[in-house]
Amino acid sequence: MRLLFSIGAVLVAGVLAGGDVAGLAAPGPKFEPPRSEPQRLAADKDAQAVDVELILAVDVSYSMDMDELAIQREGYAQAIQSKEFLQALKMGPNGRIAVTYFEWAASTDQKIIIPWRLVDGPETADAVAAEIMKTPIRRASRTSISGAITFAMPLFEEDPYRGLRRVIDISGDGPNNNGSPVTVARDAALEKGIVINGLPIMVKEPSYSTMDIDNLDYYYEDCVVGGPGSFVIAIKDRDKFKEAIRTKLLMEVAGRTPERPVVRVADKDKEPRVNCLIGEKIWSDRWGR
């Protein structure tokens, strides 16, 4: 099941007395690795058990302006330090997660900003937030969501933690226009039992110069995200940027799904609402290659 909703559909007011995150529905589908893989928690006795292994994959392509990049950085740092995030963290059976944060642009351009870190309370959360903020902001050419997913997959095998869920969190403001087709990378990740969530950034009017598209939220829903309980949060208001990031992290840490999707998802037996090769087509039409 893949769900799509706007930031206005979710409240992030904290944790209710009963222990539920406000505005979030019951836990999503139970994570089950493919039969071809051993049970991760039992396979490695030396690994530290966590509730989720979370990869934050952040777009730094030139279509992102410097203000957006700064807000994006601040949004992740503040979300990880927030009271709501720390409360959600303690709701899990292990009370801790593992997180890594990398920036991406072209298919060969990925830079790890935060190697795998254990987050289990205020001190470790503050340390991760500080590490995010101290790294200089950069921009790079092209947009390869497929490259980001392909780069992320082996990171799960390299970290010393073993989670109940493995999640790649993709944020970006445009479609894939470089590297392999995004659906090929997505399907490879799903085969490994990895969940992909999306944060399409839609705060600017689509333009030819930046190769943005209408309905980027539909593109993410139909072409990028996947796996049990996966979801998309579309940011359509710059003022809601940080709130959206915080909502997304709360849901991923708590293993929750939205109560009321505001846009109907495409049925599995129907064609995508957006051409999953639209980014490649725009690039080819513009540059002739």
Side-chain angles (χ1 to χ4, degrees):
M1 177 183 292
R2 286 178 276 167
L3 302 171
L4 174 68
F5 64 110
S6 69
I7 183 62
V10 175
L11 301 175
V12 287
V15 179
L16 298 177
D20 291 329
V21 176
L24 303 184
K30 181 180 179 182
F31 171 73
E32 296 182 358
R35 293 180 182 178
S36 60
E37 294 186 9
Q39 291 288 339
R40 291 169 59 78
L41 293 179
D44 189 347
K45 294 181 180 180
D46 295 327
Q48 185 164 354
V50 294
D51 296 319
V52 59
E53 297 167 67
L54 178 60
I55 295 178
L56 303 176
V58 179
D59 181 9
V60 293
S61 60
Y62 279 114
S63 57
M64 296 277 289
D65 62 44
M66 293 301 290
D67 185 46
E68 286 175 337
L69 292 173
I71 294 173
Q72 184 171 242
R73 282 277 188 91
E74 292 171 5
Y76 279 107
Q78 291 176 11
I80 289 172
Q81 291 177 296
S82 70
K83 179 178 70 174
E84 294 88 353
F85 175 85
L86 294 172
Q87 288 175 321
L89 188 69
K90 292 306 178 184
M91 289 170 56
N94 294 299
R96 54 184 176 260
I97 69 167
V99 62
T100 184
Y101 179 109
F102 75 85
E103 296 174 341
W104 58 271
S107 61
T108 57
D109 188 338
Q110 299 89 24
K111 180 180 179 181
I112 294 177
I113 305 301
I114 311 290
W116 284 107
R117 296 282 187 268
L118 182 71
V119 179
D120 58 1
E123 288 189 10
T124 49
D126 288 348
V128 169
E131 207 166 347
I132 291 173
M133 291 303 298
K134 76 179 184 181
T135 305
I137 293 174
R138 74 183 185 99
R139 299 167 78 194
S141 62
R142 303 298 295 267
T143 299
S144 183
I145 301 172
S146 60
I149 295 172
T150 301
F151 178 82
M153 284 190 284
L155 297 181
F156 288 114
E157 307 308 323
E158 298 169 6
D159 77 277
Y161 308 103
R162 288 296 176 265
L164 300 173
R165 292 172 288 122
R166 293 179 293 170
V167 177
I168 300 173
D169 180 326
I170 298 278
S171 63
D173 71 342
N176 193 79
N177 62 39
N178 180 240
S180 67
V182 66
T183 52
V184 173
R186 177 200 62 191
D187 293 346
L190 300 189
E191 284 292 322
K192 293 179 177 292
I194 297 167
V195 172
I196 303 174
N197 296 326
L199 187 77
I201 301 165
M202 307 169 65
V203 299
K204 297 191 296 264
E205 287 294 324
S207 70
Y208 178 80
S209 62
T210 58
M211 304 209 321
D212 298 328
I213 63 169
D214 292 315
N215 300 324
L216 183 64
D217 46 0
Y218 290 1
Y219 175 87
Y220 263 70
E221 161 63 18
D222 292 349
C223 308
V224 178
V225 307
S230 59
F231 61 84
V232 168
I233 297 180
I235 305 177
K236 299 183 179 181
D237 184 341
R238 192 180 292 263
D239 293 337
K240 299 291 186 180
F241 210 126
K242 293 180 181 179
E243 182 184 348
I245 292 172
R246 183 175 53 158
T247 300
K248 175 172 59 97
L249 288 182
L250 283 175
M251 294 176 65
E252 287 165 340
V253 170
R256 302 295 174 108
T257 55
E259 286 181 332
R260 296 179 299 278
V262 297
V263 178
R264 184 186 68 81
V265 302
D267 297 327
K268 287 185 177 180
D269 59 348
K270 293 184 179 180
E271 291 295 319
R273 293 163 289 180
V274 178
N275 179 1
C276 292
L277 294 174
I278 189 170
E280 290 86 345
K281 183 179 186 305
I282 294 172
W283 185 272
S284 177
D285 290 347
R286 181 175 178 182
W287 299 105
R289 62 179 187 276

